[in-house]
Amino acid sequence: MVGVKKKMVTLVSSDGVEFVVEKRVAEQSLFIKNALNEGGVEEKVMIPIPKVTSDTLSSVLEYCEKHASATEFQENEIEEWDKEYIEKADLDLLYYLLQASYSMSIMGLMELGAKKVASLIRGKSPQEIRELFNIKNDFTPEQEEEIRREMQWNYE
Amino acid sequence: MKDSKKSPPCQEDRLSALPSELLHQILTFLPDTKSRARTCVLSRRWIGLWASHPSIDLRLRYRIDLLAAARAHVAAVDAALDAASAATLRRLDVDVWLPSGPDNHPANAATVDRWFRAAADLGVRDLSIQTKSFPSSSISELPCSLFGCRELTSLRIKNGVIPEVPSSFDGFHALTTLFFEHVLLSTEIFAAVIAGSPLLEALHIQGFSGVARLDVSPENLPNLSSFSMFEPYGEQVKARIVAPNLTSIHFDGDLNLLSWNGSPCLVEATLRNEPYLDFQSESCWMELVSAVSNAKTLTVNNLFYQFVIPNKYVNGSHEAMFKNLRKLTCEIDWVTGPLLCSFISNIRECPLLENLCISFNRVLRLKAKKIMKRSLFFCNKPFHPAELVKAVEEKFEKDEFDLSEHRWGMGNALDCLKILEIEHFMGTKNETLLIEFLLKNAVNLRKFLVDDFFMRTNEEIHRLFYPIKFDYDNGKEELEQEEDEYDMLGVKLLDPNRKDVFWPIGFLAADISSHALWTPAILYLF
């Protein structure tokens, strides 16, 4: 790889931290890819990533790095890696990753995070789900009763 | 689970704060619409989320009380369709249970009719319907309101009688994917559906009855890129295909009835003739061979070996017939002498072949085994695999074939071959000859897998075929794991340089660096 100068871009997180990454890594995000295409190919590109903090961004970039360097022959390996990657994220990071993948348009990461949340919801009672995600039950008892009645078809 | 070192665990409801699109994405990974709908009781934020989800997926779950299950299923589909809005719904994927008895109709044709009308009103793009008819195996006719779903881009029907196309049908103008599985329809209905779907890209029909003819041309289907037609019940289909954009084709049945000139962008093809069915003429065979000649992946049976491919010369130099072929799966009924001869000749036409799978016809082998077992039973004799092998050799593979004149030099056509797989290996003389030949010539082989027809364990095979003492060594543990994974009979070779090579135990794996020593020990048996 000596002599080949890799194209780099600088991403700036919402709290002002700069990340210098290879262009091909950053382009895992469609948002960045589009921004780069629009702005022309200049040497020193700075792209602000609003609403994504440095902690989250570094985790997102870890994902992008892995997926940018993966070839189609390593599918199984990548799957394993994804599983481990999302497994070690706690709930807070999971929200941030989802939010970031959404705003940065990284489809693979969005799917991965959504799958993880869905797996946490599956098989739990509404009360258990509320407790896990701190969802506040803002229905009056009457409203709740009405919904349950309307949803009768779902419990037969 | 909670090991966040920094800020205290958050008490905010961040999940509900995510955009609806993301929450829909999350709901997508719940099993079905029922489980999605259950989230509506969480909070106000969640109340309508499930209904605005782009997809309704409802499977019928069999329970002891089938009738009650079916009624609940109908209620669920009705409720989901009721709650859905045309602005968000894209896909409807449901089961329909049409019981055969006269009085117990939880989902009769009227229900399905109602669903189709609702789907049409909601502008559903992707419709997938599977009818179940338990206990009888008969299939029921679908209502013709199906043809009212004008905005469909994808239609998938499993089990059902396709109704007559009504005169009011003005086509599926956006349909790109059509998938029929286990359906009954007529040649005319099929033609009318195709004629009404000019944008069709993928056409798949499997396990069907009633179609005798099919005509595909750039006039009716200019965009067709994927075509598959197999398992016709009863009558074979006479198909005439002209599709210049075809990348993938799958046709099973009587290949004499297929008229197809190939396509310049073909990538993969599966063309399988009925067992024992030969091509009527060499020219008819050659036409199909040329049609698949630029494929990268091929699955064929006698299309590969009934005749020998003539040498083709372009500008004076020899050009291989299958010049792009990377993966070949070749199904072989019995290894007759002429087959061996043409197979070996034709394999030279695949210079870039990386993956070769030879699948000996399992059904025919099982049949032979059954017949033999039965006759042995009447004579009160035990069955022994070696006797079946001998019988097969005498009955089907009696012609001798001398491979010595087919020894190739270096730079041969199997230079690129990395993976060789053999399925349903019995160990007849000719099977062994063929494999031996391939092993000898595939100098760059990395992986060799054999799946044994008799499911013999390594030890059994060892005792059967391999009189020389074999040193299992410390490779044994690994070997057992591999066996689980591949259901194969093989030994992990302990050569440090080529660890990924698998050898069937019947083959002497002592010194693979020298080709001269690749003597298959299987031969000792005969």
Side-chain angles (χ1 to χ4, degrees):
Chain A
M1 277 303 181
V2 188
V4 183
K5 198 163 173 268
K6 289 173 183 163
K7 280 186 183 148
M8 305 300 269
V9 287
T10 306
L11 310 180
V12 188
S13 68
S14 62
D15 49 349
V17 182
E18 290 181 12
F19 290 82
V20 182
V21 292
E22 269 181 67
K23 187 165 165 261
R24 63 184 183 97
V25 172
E27 278 184 346
Q28 292 290 306
S29 149
L30 287 181
F31 165 77
I32 296 176
K33 196 171 181 179
N34 290 342
L36 285 173
N37 285 345
E38 277 166 27
V41 202
E42 278 171 44
E43 269 305 297
K44 278 180 192 157
V45 207
M46 294 271 260
I47 300 175
I49 311 287
K51 289 198 278 187
V52 180
T53 62
S54 53
D55 283 358
T56 313
L57 192 56
S58 81
S59 187
V60 169
L61 288 174
E62 189 191 338
Y63 174 92
C64 293
E65 182 95 43
K66 185 72 192 176
H67 281 251
S69 58
T71 64
E72 55 178 310
F73 295 108
Q74 296 166 313
E75 249 171 53
N76 289 344
E77 198 187 305
I78 266 286
E79 246 171 63
E80 273 308 300
W81 187 91
D82 277 354
K83 222 163 106 188
E84 236 169 73
Y85 169 84
I86 206 72
E87 209 52 57
K88 69 178 186 222
D90 58 20
L91 270 185
D92 282 352
L93 184 56
L94 195 55
Y95 299 139
Y96 292 133
L97 285 178
L98 271 169
Q99 189 92 58
S101 65
Y102 180 71
S103 61
M104 294 171 76
S105 290
I106 309 172
M107 298 311 158
L109 183 56
M110 192 158 107
E111 217 170 85
L112 191 63
K115 252 186 208 162
K116 170 76 183 175
V117 177
S119 76
L120 292 172
I121 291 177
R122 270 181 91 153
K124 288 198 175 67
S125 71
Q127 194 47 40
E128 283 171 321
I129 299 172
R130 283 191 200 115
E131 274 163 26
L132 179 61
F133 296 104
N134 291 311
I135 298 171
K136 199 175 165 292
N137 182 358
D138 49 7
F139 293 120
T140 61
E142 295 79 41
Q143 277 173 324
E144 209 177 334
E145 186 45 45
E146 197 193 321
I147 294 167
R148 278 193 188 279
R149 225 180 14 250
E150 272 174 21
M151 278 289 141
Q152 195 51 44
W153 58 270
N154 204 346
Y155 296 94
E156 274 167 5
Chain B
M1 190 178 117
K2 281 179 187 166
D3 57 352
S4 46
K5 353 163 193 90
K6 25 180 183 81
S7 51
C10 105
Q11 293 301 319
E12 264 176 80
D13 177 7
R14 294 230 188 79
L15 186 63
S16 301
L18 292 174
S20 296
E21 207 180 314
L22 260 177
L23 294 179
H24 277 151
Q25 175 82 276
I26 291 167
L27 292 181
T28 301
F29 294 111
L30 292 178
D32 60 5
T33 300
K34 275 191 164 189
S35 40
R36 276 173 220 148
R38 259 170 231 149
T39 60
C40 78
V41 295
L42 291 175
S43 74
R44 283 171 204 272
R45 171 81 178 94
W46 291 80
I47 193 162
L49 272 177
W50 74 276
S52 57
H53 192 270
S55 172
I56 295 176
D57 312 272
L58 285 165
R59 294 272 88 80
L60 171 62
R61 303 252 158 73
Y62 287 114
R63 288 195 307 227
I64 305 279
D65 188 353
L66 250 179
L67 217 57
R71 284 206 181 98
H73 177 70
V74 170
V77 177
D78 280 336
L81 282 170
D82 243 12
S85 106
T88 49
L89 190 68
R90 291 288 172 275
R91 183 180 138 90
L92 176 65
D93 180 355
V94 289
D95 284 350
V96 179
W97 187 53
L98 296 160
S100 49
D103 22 81
N104 47 2
H105 275 178
N108 51 25
T111 314
V112 187
D113 183 59
R114 188 167 73 235
W115 293 352
F116 283 159
R117 284 174 199 280
D121 288 345
L122 290 163
V124 165
R125 309 276 168 85
D126 182 343
L127 178 64
S128 177
I129 190 147
Q130 288 122 93
T131 72
K132 316 240 169 195
S133 41
F134 185 83
S136 115
S137 57
S138 67
I139 50 176
S140 319
E141 181 162 332
L142 294 165
C144 65
S145 45
L146 169 69
F147 295 106
C149 302
R150 306 182 55 226
E151 281 165 61
L152 289 182
T153 58
S154 164
L155 173 62
R156 200 180 173 100
I157 294 176
K158 200 172 162 185
N159 305 327
V161 180
I162 310 297
E164 286 280 343
V165 180
S167 54
S168 59
F169 176 58
D170 63 347
F172 293 131
H173 291 294
L175 197 69
T176 56
T177 306
L178 179 61
F179 194 108
F180 283 156
E181 197 181 332
H182 299 120
V183 291
L184 181 69
L185 76 173
S186 70
T187 305
E188 290 72 33
I189 294 174
F190 197 33
V193 173
I194 286 174
S197 318
L199 296 186
L200 214 55
E201 288 165 17
L203 174 60
H204 178 109
I205 177 162
Q206 172 190 0
F208 57 98
S209 178
V211 179
R213 266 184 349 271
L214 170 71
D215 250 307
V216 171
S217 71
E219 284 79 51
N220 57 14
L221 299 180
N223 299 342
L224 193 69
S225 68
S226 168
F227 171 78
S228 78
M229 180 172 232
F230 52 104
E231 289 172 31
Y233 296 138
E235 212 183 323
Q236 298 284 354
V237 189
K238 202 174 164 87
R240 197 179 65 87
I241 315 281
V242 183
N245 297 319
L246 211 60
T247 57
S248 155
I249 186 169
H250 184 164
F251 189 94
D252 260 34
D254 186 348
L255 289 183
N256 289 302
L257 297 178
L258 173 67
S259 142
W260 171 55
N261 291 327
S263 129
C265 36
L266 188 73
V267 177
E268 52 154 346
T270 297
L271 295 183
R272 226 187 262 122
N273 224 339
E274 297 270 289
Y276 292 124
L277 198 67
D278 286 339
F279 284 91
Q280 277 154 11
S281 70
E282 191 168 343
S283 62
C284 158
W285 175 81
M286 196 57 207
E287 201 180 293
L288 283 185
V289 168
S290 317
V292 296
S293 66
N294 49 0
K296 268 190 174 165
T297 306
L298 262 187
T299 303
V300 285
N301 49 12
N302 61 0
L303 187 64
F304 194 74
Y305 50 72
Q306 193 183 337
F307 299 101
V308 175
I309 297 169
N311 281 340
K312 184 172 145 198
Y313 288 93
V314 176
N315 300 331
S317 60
H318 176 253
E319 195 183 66
M321 177 59 84
F322 301 113
K323 52 187 179 301
N324 300 322
L325 193 64
R326 300 298 198 282
K327 183 170 196 277
L328 170 67
T329 303
C330 189
E331 291 164 13
I332 294 179
D333 294 348
W334 305 109
V335 192
T336 61
L339 184 153
L340 255 182
C341 172
S342 49
F343 184 94
I344 284 167
S345 180
N346 291 346
I347 201 84
R348 307 187 76 155
E349 299 289 328
C350 321
L352 297 182
L353 194 64
E354 285 169 7
N355 190 330
L356 172 62
C357 174
I358 294 183
S359 180
F360 297 116
N361 191 322
R362 184 160 177 271
V363 180
L364 293 183
R365 277 157 181 71
L366 281 177
K367 225 184 233 169
K369 186 176 165 186
K370 210 168 143 193
I371 292 169
M372 183 163 200
K373 268 194 160 170
R374 199 183 299 146
S375 64
L376 285 171
F377 177 79
F378 289 121
C379 315
N380 218 353
K381 277 193 212 150
F383 170 80
H384 198 274
E387 305 219 356
L388 178 61
V389 169
K390 223 169 118 197
V392 163
E393 279 171 7
E394 275 165 18
K395 189 160 167 53
F396 302 105
E397 305 186 354
K398 51 182 176 288
D399 12 36
E400 296 280 327
F401 190 72
D402 186 10
L403 280 177
S404 55
E405 52 190 88
H406 282 264
R407 214 161 285 266
W408 296 343
M410 292 303 280
N412 69 56
L414 290 172
D415 271 357
C416 295
L417 194 69
K418 294 199 174 66
I419 302 172
L420 175 62
E421 287 173 70
I422 313 292
E423 285 177 353
H424 316 128
F425 174 72
M426 273 173 90
T428 64
K429 232 181 258 178
N430 285 352
E431 282 178 9
T432 313
L433 264 177
L434 177 61
I435 297 164
E436 182 201 11
F437 176 84
L438 293 169
L439 285 176
K440 253 184 203 147
N441 287 289
V443 285
N444 293 316
L445 198 67
R446 308 259 316 266
K447 211 172 192 181
F448 177 33
L449 303 167
V450 178
D451 167 21
D452 184 56
F453 174 75
F454 296 112
M455 311 249 271
R456 292 165 284 205
T457 64
N458 278 324
E459 277 83 359
E460 273 177 283
I461 294 290
H462 188 185
R463 253 181 280 125
L464 249 173
F465 291 118
Y466 200 73
I468 305 162
K469 189 179 171 293
F470 191 88
D471 188 9
Y472 280 100
D473 239 40
N474 45 4
K476 187 154 182 194
E477 253 192 322
E478 279 175 279
L479 165 70
E480 277 163 7
Q481 281 176 9
E482 297 290 353
E483 223 184 1
D484 280 341
E485 207 174 312
Y486 296 109
D487 183 29
M488 61 163 202
L489 114 97
V491 175
K492 192 149 191 175
L493 196 72
L494 301 169
D495 183 308
N497 300 320
R498 290 180 67 180
K499 272 197 166 152
D500 48 349
V501 179
F502 296 94
W503 293 93
I505 196 144
F507 288 79
L508 189 74
D511 186 357
I512 57 143
S513 56
S514 148
H515 289 168
L517 285 175
W518 288 15
T519 316
I522 283 184
L523 289 178
Y524 295 151
L525 185 86
F526 303 105

